[in-house]
Structures are given as structure tokens and as C-alpha cells.
């Protein structure tokens, strides 16, 4: 699993049947402090939301088969899923992200 920031959402009228009715979010990976790991190579990814996350929130994502297990069948088109909304991150007893 990885930390990511929700930066937007997607709407798609034509899609795989396994994505019908599912919310698609645009996310970017972040470090524990909420900063992007490599500012020079920011990349966005599309994740399927399972927790009702919104723009600006820090979330936990999982990939591959783990992402598919979050959803009932059919789920074959799912490769990245938002599985938690992060409230806080603590590193070495120090709160680094509220």
C-alpha cells in the first residue's frame, strides 16, 4: 500500500462493465509528510474509490490483485483502489501530517 493525494476525479461514459457505478479518482503518490516523492516526475494515476474520498484528501491505495479484492465481481478492469482516508501520519512519535 502507498500514500497518495486525491487531486481530482474522472467521468467516463464509455467504460468496462466492471467500472460502471464506481467513482474514479485522480491521485498522486506522496511521502509521509504529504510532499511528492519526486517533484520533477509527478505523475497522476486513476484509482477506483471504495471509501468516499474527495479532492485534497490523503488516502491509502493498493494495486493489482489486492485492489480487485476490494470490490465484488465483476472487477477485472480494476488495478488501483483507494482503500482508506488518512486522518494522521506519525513518524518516530512526531505528527507529520494532520
Amino acid at each position: 500500500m502507498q500514500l497518495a493525494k486525491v487531486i481530482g476525479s474522472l467521468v467516463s461514459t464509455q467504460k468496462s462493465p466492471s467500472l460502471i457505478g464506481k467513482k474514479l479518482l485522480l491521485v498522486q503518490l506522496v511521502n509521509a509528510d504529504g510532499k511528492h516523492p519526486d517533484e520533477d516526475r509527478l505523475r497522476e494515476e486513476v484509482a477506483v474509490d471504495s471509501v468516499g474520498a474527495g479532492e485534497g484528501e490523503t488516502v491509502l491505495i493498493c494495486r493489482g490483485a489486492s485492489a480487485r479484492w476490494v470490490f465484488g465481481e465483476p472487477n477485472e478492469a480494476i488495478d488501483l483502489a483507494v482503500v482508506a482516508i488518512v486522518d494522521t501520519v506519525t513518524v518516530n512519535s512526531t505528527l507529520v501530517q494532520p
Side-chain angles (χ1 to χ4, degrees):
M1 290 186 281
Q2 295 174 292
L3 290 171
K5 181 77 75 174
V6 178
I7 60 169
S9 61
L10 274 90
V11 175
S12 175
T13 56
Q14 300 296 317
K15 55 190 158 216
S16 168
S18 64
L19 295 176
I20 293 173
K22 294 181 176 71
K23 183 177 172 185
L24 302 176
L25 297 175
L26 195 60
V27 299
Q28 282 183 329
L29 296 181
V30 294
N31 291 327
D33 61 5
K35 295 180 182 167
H36 300 291
D38 187 350
E39 294 288 344
D40 294 331
R41 296 186 325 173
L42 292 180
R43 79 174 205 222
E44 300 83 19
E45 297 185 80
V46 178
V48 180
D49 184 27
S50 72
V51 295
E55 191 169 342
E57 291 187 295
T58 300
V59 295
L60 194 59
I61 59 173
C62 65
R63 298 176 183 279
S66 297
R68 284 184 283 284
W69 278 95
V70 174
F71 302 94
E73 299 288 335
N75 59 16
E76 64 274 354
I78 299 170
D79 189 54
L80 188 65
V82 173
V83 295
I85 299 171
V86 176
D87 296 317
T88 61
V89 177
T90 304
V91 176
N92 297 323
S93 300
T94 302
L95 181 68
V96 292
Q97 194 178 152

